[in-house]
């Protein structure tokens, strides 16, 4: 169970950039956004209680994900998440659909610079195969509550600052049926270095209740705007944890606003 459950660790967080630059900002009524991402994470070591240790074999985790959000009103945005996962290590060889999640984000507060939002979502377990067995947790129901807060920074009056930038933090509690509950923390900082280019630095952390896994990954990426489309390319790397692989690899994404 430890080896199989670890296959899902790299999928812990998904930070989303919208018109203002981060997930805490809701979309205007009648507008939407779709983001397709592909991740290819590999590791030959893991974080253990005594530090890094070598894995018996290389570990590979791949995921192609879809995130869609749509503004029902200026304060209410609906969200959908889904992915297709595959992975292998010395214990397991897995491929199949990951959890499907649907939820809603409510804009609790917003002014010219600051924003606070709350999110509630429900996820249904995946339906893939692992060495002939159903995916662990398949059919289980997960519930999530998330608090999001962000601040936009206008640097147009200073020559040394980016034109626009933002910082955002999200903290979540996830209740998982059939598996231990967990807490997650995602932090994002982004800067529009020109009209069509943005750079982002992100951190994804989490912990399973009790003596379960811990993880912290960082990601650096660049985003190129092309009208209603955007292209993203970056690298994600695990930097700390417990009972989790020291995984790293490329992340590419395509965004489409509608």
């Amino acid at each position: 169970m430890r080896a199989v459950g670890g296959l899902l660790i790299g999928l812990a967080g998904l930070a989303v950039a919208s018109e203002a630059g981060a997930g805490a900002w809701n979309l205007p009524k009648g507008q939407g956004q779709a983001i397709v991402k592909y991740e290819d994470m590999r590791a030959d070591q893991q974080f253990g209680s005594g530090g890094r240790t070598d894995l018996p074999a290389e570990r590979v985790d791949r995921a192609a994900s879809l995130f869609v959000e749509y503004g029902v009103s200026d304060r209410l945005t609906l969200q959908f998440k889904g992915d297709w996962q595959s992975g292998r290590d010395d214990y397991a060889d897995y491929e199949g659909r990951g959890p499907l999640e649907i939820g809603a984000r409510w804009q609790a507060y917003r002014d010219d610079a600051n924003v606070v939002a709350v999110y509630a979502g429900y996820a249904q377990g995946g339906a893939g195969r692992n060495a002939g067995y159903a995916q662990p947790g398949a059919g289980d129901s997960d519930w999530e509550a998330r608090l999001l807060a962000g601040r936009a920074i206008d640097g147009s009056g200073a020559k040394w600052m980016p034109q626009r930038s933002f910082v955002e933090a999200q903290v979540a509690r996830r209740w998982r049926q059939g598996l231990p509950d967990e807490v997650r923390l995602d932090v994002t900082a982004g800067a529009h270095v020109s009209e069509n280019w943005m750079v982002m630095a992100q951190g994804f952390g989490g912990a399973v209740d009790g003596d379960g896994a811990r993880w912290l990954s960082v990601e650096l990426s660049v985003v190129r705007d092309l009208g209603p489309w955007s292209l993203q390319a970056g690298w994600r790397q695990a930097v700390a944890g417990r009972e989790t692989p020291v995984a790293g690899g490329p992340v590419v994404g395509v965004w489409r606003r509608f």
Side-chain angles (χ1 to χ4, degrees), residues 152-166 191-192:
I153 304 168
D154 184 1
S156 58
K159 294 182 179 180
W160 55 272
M161 288 186 63
Q163 297 176 2
R164 292 169 291 148
S165 57
F166 68 89
H192 292 263

Side-chain angles (χ1 to χ4, degrees), residues 186-251:
D186 303 339
V187 178
T188 302
H192 292 263
V193 295
S194 69
E195 187 64 28
N196 297 316
W197 287 93
M198 179 174 68
V199 296
M200 289 198 300
Q202 299 171 270
F204 308 115
V208 177
D209 286 1
D211 295 327
R214 307 284 190 269
W215 63 90
L216 175 62
S217 296
V218 296
E219 181 179 316
L220 298 176
S221 62
V222 296
V223 180
R224 167 64 165 160
D225 289 338
L226 300 168
W229 297 86
S230 294
L231 304 178
Q232 178 183 9
W235 185 273
R236 182 179 300 170
Q237 181 65 50
V239 295
R242 185 179 70 192
E243 297 185 12
T244 187
V246 188
V251 178

Side-chain angles (χ1 to χ4, degrees), residues 5 16-17 32 50 53 67 72 101 126 137 140-141 143 152-153 170 182 185 211 225 228 231-232 238 241 245 247:
V16 182
T53 59
F67 176 93
V72 178
E101 180 175 336
D140 289 349
S141 300
W143 293 90
I153 304 168
Q170 304 181 18
E182 62 186 34
L185 175 64
D211 295 327
D225 289 338
L231 304 178
Q232 178 183 9

Side-chain angles (χ1 to χ4, degrees), residues 49-81:
S49 57
R52 296 190 180 191
T53 59
D54 291 337
L55 291 170
E58 183 187 36
R59 178 188 176 117
V60 179
D61 295 309
R62 299 186 180 97
S65 62
L66 171 65
F67 176 93
V68 181
E69 60 178 353
Y70 181 78
V72 178
S73 70
D74 289 339
R75 299 187 67 179
L76 180 64
T77 296
L78 298 182
Q79 295 183 189
F80 168 82
K81 299 178 186 178

